[in-house]
Amino acid sequence: MNIRILRILLFKEIQLLKRHPIVPKIIVVLPVMAMLILPLVANLDIRSVGVAVVDNDCSELSRCIVSDMAASENLVISGVFPRYDRALEMVERGDADVILTIPSNYSRDLERGLTPTLALSANGVNATKGMLGSRYAAQSSGATVSRWMKERAVYISSGLSTVQDFQTKQDVAAVLNLYNPTLNFRNYMIPALMVVLIIIICGFLPTLNLVTEKESGTIEAMNVSPVGKFTFVLSKLIPYWIIGLIVITVGLIVGWLVYGLVPVGNVILIYLAAILFSLVMSGLGVTIANRSSTILQSIFVIFAFIVIFQLMSGLFTPISSMPQWAQYATYAIPPRYFIEIMRAVYLKGATFCDLWRQYMALAGFAVMFFIVATFSYSKRS
Amino acid sequence: MSILLSVIKKEARHITRDARTMTITLFIPVVLLLLFGFAISTEVNDVRIATVSERYDCRTREIIEKLSHNPYFTFKGEAEYSDIERMLRRGEIDAALVLRGRDNAPEYQIITDGSNTNIAQTAAFYIENVLRSPEQDTVLIHTLYNPQLKSAYNFVPGIMGMIFILICAMMTSVSIVREKESGTMDLMFVSPVRPSVIVIGKLIPYFILSCILLVAMLCISYMLLELPFYARVINVAGLSLLYIILSLALGLLISSLVRSQVAALLVSCVVLMLPVIMLSGMIFPIDNMPYLLRMISCIIPARWYISAMRAIMIQQLPFQYILRETIILAVMTMIIISIAVRKTSKQK
């Protein structure tokens, strides 16, 4: 490998990047826009669950249940109906997510010491919303009923024994959420978004760069020159380290200025992971470009990789929810380690000792992709 | 007519000749559907938990017993209170339960790893359920339309909305612009073939390809993912055809606006793909977005397609429930086609 040739090639690559009409804008504008807009969009919190109530009881208690739900922060009352089919129609139209049916004589049966049940039907089209929505509704109505029972007990001050049973059985637990005490979904998404940006920018750009050279024919000039394989591939990869670092820096600054989120751990750890990971992605991009002949072909292949990377790496859905075979498969997905590092350093303040396995895995992938990219490039077509 | 046929044949050769692109176009939707159906789940079903016992009685034993037998938990054993923070930081556990207090006044503390908000919330809820005695359950919960709470149900319409934009809009625009770039488009325009025939001939093969994909995706959804099959599948097909035509028109529009393949790709990525993934309600609910973005989402065709598909595919509602969405999509299609045709005919 010749250092002088490498320097000249790098100079050429950077000049090309600077001269390109769109790429320099993408490197700065895309991260800024993504970091500004996407945290507003990427919100999986389940808020404003619409509840349609079928009130067959029409008592003081049933009205209490409805007004407590209307007052709670996650529930919205879509309407109170006398019949179930009217409430179901609300769900079918998408105006309500959960139907709460209060049976007739509900409060009378409770006073008599029977155990009448409330029925909740959740719209399961969106599984998460249906599940969480029915939980919120169950919690809210349960709280109302137990408070009502207590008030009745004080009021009547007879039948105290049953009511006290009701109270002691309810073991209260204090919940402490470490690292993200308000459970703000944004804090969870912002480190992940920076990962998405590096996946997209360091995956697409080198591919496009190399295939454009192929289509316009300038790569032929490179093929007849004495530049070695190793030097050539390195000159294609190194600019994307710098670009990866720019993307991460922009992400860190926007995250800090706009959302007030700064990494709890050491920033150097984030940069180290970003360097390793951008090498992995650009190595993959160069490999794909070496193997394809048209832009469309290379874009579709890298797109397939990016989709699988994003879905299987635990970005949006927890890895632990996957079946066992899929969990083993995620060990072969490089962004998995990068995401773990980003989230741990950003939110939990993890140190290198906590994360050395992830770094080793990323470094292994980086070396592997570099070697594959070098050997997939051949000067003879 | 025979000219149109030969233009179609030429374009079909272009598509099938590039075997790799063909494979990927067929491979992406199938893999996406299978991943969502069998690998990915938004449900939290494995909470790794450790307990800290500062009180030893039968209630503590009973709770630990319950935790270690519950399929939703993986019990990681007893730990010291001082070790919990380290275990959470390393990601060895998702939550910890501290048992304290005296016999008559038990106290519980749940410590969760709040860096993953969904797991934290759900874990706390599961643990509270374990702590509660079963007699207290006086609320009966059942789920409509999707009793097993499969997350695939929610994603299938979204994936279809994304794939058709990818195939129809992206592939068509790139293929037309490629001919412009290499100059063969001029060759076609100076031939006696009418421009409208060329454009239609270029669009029809992609339309057929999309129809094949539609059939494949419906087969996978109904056979492998076990979505509830229903006679109204004709509505699903009809609505999808409308959406495919809309996407083709979008591709045509893009191809008339840009000059290079890279530009066509970037425009279809930034203007079409990103909004479809982010703003259409495919993954992230529209209700949660700020007002301005919710307004923007109204002009994205995929938003209407996906919500209509959810209504007819999963809730199996009759056609009148999606009348509004269908009309909006039809109007959008007409507007885009008229703009695209005007733009394309101006260039000749």
Side-chain angles (χ1 to χ4, degrees):
Chain A
M1 193 176 77
N2 192 327
I3 296 292
R4 204 173 63 90
I5 294 181
L6 180 63
R7 225 176 30 226
I8 294 167
L9 283 180
L10 278 178
F11 182 69
K12 169 214 152 216
E13 288 298 327
I14 288 166
Q15 286 299 318
L16 271 179
L17 278 178
K18 271 199 215 153
R19 279 203 59 235
H20 197 281
I22 311 174
V23 167
K25 287 175 203 144
I26 287 187
I27 295 166
V28 180
V29 175
L30 189 68
V32 172
M33 293 303 286
M35 293 293 290
L36 283 180
I37 295 176
L38 295 189
L40 298 176
V41 174
N43 191 344
L44 287 176
D45 280 350
I46 306 293
R47 295 263 155 79
S48 65
V49 177
V51 186
V53 184
V54 183
D55 190 356
N56 293 324
D57 191 30
C58 292
S59 64
E60 188 194 330
L61 174 62
S62 72
R63 276 191 295 275
C64 263
I65 293 177
V66 173
S67 56
D68 279 355
M69 279 188 180
S72 81
E73 65 173 327
N74 294 323
L75 300 171
V76 176
I77 297 290
S78 310
V80 181
F81 303 94
R83 292 206 328 264
Y84 182 78
D85 50 352
R86 294 272 302 282
L88 186 64
E89 208 183 296
M90 291 290 283
V91 173
E92 286 178 342
R93 283 222 206 98
D95 295 330
D97 306 294
V98 178
I99 304 174
L100 170 71
T101 314
I102 304 172
S104 51
N105 301 331
Y106 181 66
S107 57
R108 207 183 66 199
D109 286 354
L110 267 182
E111 277 172 41
R112 281 182 183 166
L114 302 171
T115 49
T117 50
L118 297 170
L120 276 172
S121 312
N123 180 354
V125 174
N126 181 342
T128 321
K129 190 165 192 177
M131 198 165 60
L132 275 178
S134 53
R135 262 185 221 158
Y136 291 151
Q139 265 175 344
S140 162
S141 57
T144 314
V145 169
S146 66
R147 199 192 62 220
W148 186 79
M149 295 282 282
K150 203 165 124 197
E151 281 169 6
R152 295 292 292 184
V154 174
Y155 183 63
I156 304 168
S157 59
S158 63
L160 252 173
S161 59
T162 57
V163 177
Q164 252 174 3
D165 275 354
F166 202 90
Q167 283 304 308
T168 48
K169 268 178 207 157
Q170 193 157 15
D171 295 334
V172 270
V175 180
L176 173 67
N177 297 306
L178 290 180
Y179 314 124
N180 183 7
T182 51
L183 289 183
N184 189 342
F185 194 74
R186 241 168 240 172
N187 296 358
Y188 175 63
M189 273 321 281
I190 285 172
L193 274 180
M194 289 157 64
V195 178
V196 175
L197 284 172
I198 291 203
I199 291 182
I200 292 177
I201 291 179
C202 292
F204 269 118
L205 288 188
T207 323
L208 272 181
N209 170 314
L210 201 56
V211 182
T212 324
E213 277 210 49
K214 270 191 182 177
E215 286 212 337
S216 65
T218 49
I219 202 154
E220 294 296 327
M222 196 59 71
N223 286 348
V224 295
S225 71
V227 175
K229 261 186 190 186
F230 196 65
T231 321
F232 176 72
V233 169
L234 213 54
S235 78
K236 288 281 173 200
L237 294 183
I238 288 176
Y240 297 96
W241 286 358
I242 302 162
I243 289 174
L245 292 184
I246 294 175
V247 170
I248 283 284
T249 312
V250 170
L252 281 168
I253 291 173
V254 176
W256 171 51
L257 288 180
V258 180
Y259 302 102
L261 187 69
V262 279
V264 181
N266 198 332
V267 183
I268 294 169
L269 286 177
I270 292 181
Y271 277 109
L272 179 62
I275 288 178
L276 288 175
F277 186 67
S278 48
L279 186 61
V280 172
M281 281 314 292
S282 49
L284 177 70
V286 169
T287 311
I288 290 171
N290 282 337
R291 289 258 153 243
S292 22
S293 45
T294 64
I295 290 185
L296 193 66
Q297 207 178 48
S298 61
I299 288 300
F300 268 64
V301 177
I302 189 99
F303 182 78
F305 270 99
I306 285 177
V307 165
I308 292 175
F309 276 8
Q310 293 199 353
L311 290 177
M312 294 294 286
S313 60
L315 257 179
F316 301 112
T317 59
I319 289 178
S320 56
S321 302
M322 297 176 185
Q324 201 59 49
W325 61 267
Q327 287 192 30
Y328 287 129
T330 60
Y331 287 114
I333 308 257
R336 178 205 158 128
Y337 306 102
F338 188 36
I339 290 165
E340 281 175 357
I341 292 174
M342 285 294 273
R343 283 196 175 132
V345 175
Y346 229 101
L347 300 172
K348 302 186 195 172
T351 57
F352 189 79
C353 301
D354 297 327
L355 295 167
W356 64 271
R357 287 183 207 87
Q358 279 87 344
Y359 279 100
M360 290 307 287
L362 270 188
F365 273 110
V367 172
M368 192 187 86
F369 274 107
F370 178 54
I371 292 171
V372 171
T374 311
F375 283 97
S376 66
Y377 169 65
S378 91
K379 288 194 163 193
R380 294 190 186 83
S381 52
Chain B
M1 201 61 209
S2 71
I3 296 178
L4 178 64
L5 219 63
S6 48
V7 175
I8 293 174
K9 215 185 275 171
K10 164 200 155 273
E11 194 58 33
R13 288 241 173 90
H14 267 307
I15 300 176
T16 46
R17 209 173 55 101
D18 189 353
R20 202 178 302 168
T21 313
M22 262 298 271
T23 331
I24 297 269
T25 22
L26 295 174
F27 165 86
I28 291 178
V30 172
V31 165
L32 274 180
L33 282 180
L34 292 182
L35 277 184
F36 272 110
F38 296 106
I40 291 169
S41 159
T42 47
E43 188 202 23
V44 178
N45 55 21
D46 180 34
V47 178
R48 290 162 304 158
I49 187 170
T51 55
V52 181
S53 312
E54 295 177 1
R55 163 170 68 94
Y56 298 95
D57 59 6
C58 54
R59 182 86 179 109
T60 307
R61 249 201 323 276
E62 189 192 333
I63 287 170
I64 291 176
E65 195 94 325
K66 269 190 193 168
L67 285 177
S68 47
H69 285 119
N70 194 319
Y72 284 88
F73 292 102
T74 305
F75 185 59
K76 290 281 183 181
E78 290 269 324
E80 289 296 318
Y81 190 69
S82 51
D83 287 342
I84 292 296
E85 208 275 320
R86 188 179 49 82
M87 291 171 85
L88 284 170
R89 197 178 60 223
R90 287 197 178 175
E92 286 165 10
I93 54 173
D94 298 312
L97 174 65
V98 186
L99 303 125
R100 283 207 192 97
R102 273 167 293 110
D103 288 347
N104 291 330
E107 277 172 28
Y108 302 99
Q109 186 186 26
I110 300 168
I111 305 175
T112 64
D113 175 358
S115 66
N116 187 336
T117 49
N118 268 352
I119 293 188
Q121 242 170 332
T122 324
F125 192 83
Y126 287 163
I127 298 171
E128 276 167 3
N129 264 357
V130 168
L131 295 179
R132 219 161 41 169
S133 12
E135 309 93 77
Q136 259 178 267
D137 270 340
T138 51
V139 181
L140 205 70
I141 298 178
H142 96 121
T143 314
L144 301 165
Y145 312 122
N146 181 5
Q148 290 167 290
L149 288 172
K150 287 187 183 169
S151 26
Y153 280 36
N154 197 29
F155 284 115
V156 168
I159 292 172
M160 293 174 73
M162 188 179 86
I163 291 299
F164 290 134
I165 284 280
L166 180 74
I167 305 296
C168 302
M170 210 164 176
M171 281 183 83
T172 352
S173 61
V174 171
S175 93
I176 295 179
V177 176
R178 182 169 50 204
E179 293 223 37
K180 270 196 206 170
E181 243 183 9
S182 63
T184 47
M185 202 57 155
D186 291 332
L187 212 61
M188 300 252 280
F189 280 137
V190 296
S191 70
V193 185
R194 286 224 312 276
S196 59
V197 174
I198 298 175
V199 170
I200 292 173
K202 275 192 110 34
L203 294 184
I204 285 179
Y206 290 100
F207 182 74
I208 296 172
L209 184 65
S210 311
C211 290
I212 296 173
L213 276 177
L214 175 65
V215 173
M217 288 203 277
L218 288 182
C219 284
I220 293 179
S221 327
Y222 286 124
M223 287 168 174
L224 287 175
L225 303 185
E226 292 164 344
L227 247 66
F229 187 77
Y230 207 49
R232 291 197 187 106
V233 71
I234 192 84
N235 286 349
V236 175
L239 189 73
S240 303
L241 287 181
L242 178 64
Y243 184 69
I244 289 173
I245 294 172
L246 177 83
S247 316
L248 285 173
L250 274 174
L252 190 62
L253 181 64
I254 289 178
S255 73
S256 65
L257 294 176
V258 298
R259 303 212 156 267
S260 73
Q261 285 185 69
V262 179
L265 271 173
L266 287 176
V267 170
S268 34
C269 264
V270 174
V271 182
L272 298 180
M273 286 302 285
L274 273 183
V276 167
I277 297 173
M278 288 298 166
L279 294 176
S280 68
M282 171 190 171
I283 307 175
F284 306 111
I286 295 171
D287 300 343
N288 285 349
M289 293 171 196
Y291 184 73
L292 188 69
L293 290 174
R294 244 183 301 164
M295 289 294 108
I296 294 174
S297 79
C298 288
I299 59 165
I300 294 170
R303 177 211 160 137
W304 304 106
Y305 174 70
I306 291 172
S307 82
M309 284 292 274
R310 280 188 185 143
I312 51 178
M313 234 178 141
I314 297 158
Q315 291 179 278
Q316 303 180 332
L317 299 174
F319 185 71
Q320 68 256 30
Y321 281 90
I322 58 158
L323 204 60
R324 189 181 58 158
E325 281 90 348
T326 317
I327 291 173
I328 291 174
L329 282 177
V331 171
M332 280 180 173
T333 315
M334 270 169 332
I335 294 174
I336 294 171
I337 287 183
S338 61
I339 298 177
V341 167
R342 192 169 305 159
K343 283 264 176 198
T344 323
S345 55
K346 248 187 204 162
Q347 290 175 348
K348 280 126 222 174

